[in-house]
Amino acid sequence: MNMIDCQKVSKGYRRTNALEDITFQLTDQKITGLIGRNGAGKTTLLKILAGLTKHKSGEVNVFGKNPYNNLLVSANSILVDDQMTFPDSLTLEEILSSAPAFYKKWDTQLAVRLFQYFKLDSKQQHSKLSKGSKATFNMIFGLSTHCELTMFDEPTNGMDEAVRTDFYRALLKDYIAYPRSILISSHHLSE
C-alpha cells in the first residue's frame, strides 16, 4: 500500500516555486531519506504531507486522503522540526506525561528511557532549551508518538556529532521494534 502518493504537486510562494510537478509514491513501513540543498523545498513538501500547508496544484494523498486539514492524517502523523512549540506553562516532564492523551500509540517507556539517556532536565521549559537540547527533545517526542507516519525535518540541526549518532541509533532500534513510515529530510548527504 502507498502511504504517500503525490502526483504533479506544485507549491509557490509569491514569485518563487518551492515545488514544481513533484511525483512520487512511498510504500508504508520504510525509512526514507529526503535529501536536498537548503531552499530545495523539503520543508514545504513535509508541511504539505502533514496537512499544515495546502499545495497549489496536483494531487496529494496520505493514507489515501488529502492531508490538508484532515483529522485522520493529523491523528496518525507527526512532523518534527525546529518550529515545534509546546506550552511554556508545562515542563518537559509534564509535556511527556500529557502526550498519551493525544497520541494513541505513545510509548512512555521509550520517552523516559531516551530522556534519561540524553540527560535532559525534566523541570526545564521547552522554549528555554538550547538549539541542540531542543532538537534532542523534539526527536524524543517524535519517536515516542509511534505515529504511522513520522516525519523529521532536518532533525539533527544543532546536535553535536555524538548526539547525532545516538539519534540515528535510537531511531533504527525503535523502527525495528515498531515498524512504521519514517521520512527524514536533510541537506547533509552523509546522513
Side-chain angles (χ1 to χ4, degrees), residues 180-191:
R180 57 199 183 274
S181 297
I182 298 176
L183 188 55
I184 306 170
S185 79
S186 180
H187 63 275
H188 297 291
L189 188 57
S190 61
E191 292 188 4

Side-chain angles (χ1 to χ4, degrees), residues 94-106:
E94 291 168 334
I95 292 168
L96 294 180
S97 66
S98 64
F102 299 96
Y103 297 97
K104 63 185 176 188
K105 295 182 180 181
W106 179 261

Side-chain angles (χ1 to χ4, degrees), residues 12-79:
Y13 298 100
R14 294 188 185 146
R15 295 181 183 161
T16 304
N17 285 334
L19 301 173
E20 192 169 347
D21 289 334
I22 303 295
T23 297
F24 71 98
Q25 295 80 36
L26 292 179
T27 56
D28 61 353
Q29 297 190 351
K30 291 188 179 178
I31 298 176
T32 305
L34 180 61
I35 306 295
R37 293 180 178 179
N38 287 329
K42 300 181 304 293
T43 298
T44 299
L45 178 61
L46 293 178
K47 286 184 176 183
I48 289 170
L49 296 175
L52 303 174
T53 300
K54 190 171 183 166
H55 58 289
K56 182 175 115 184
S57 63
E59 188 176 336
V60 179
N61 286 299
V62 177
F63 308 119
K65 306 283 183 194
N66 181 337
Y68 187 67
N69 284 337
N70 187 296
L71 289 176
L72 173 74
V73 174
S74 293
N76 292 289
S77 65
I78 186 167
L79 173 59

Side-chain angles (χ1 to χ4, degrees), residues 86 90-97 115 120-127 129 133 137:
F86 296 94
L90 300 176
T91 64
L92 298 181
E93 180 179 44
E94 291 168 334
I95 292 168
L96 294 180
S97 66
F115 194 85
L120 295 174
D121 179 0
S122 62
K123 301 302 177 196
Q124 182 71 273
Q125 292 174 311
H126 187 261
S127 64
L129 294 172
S133 293
F137 181 81

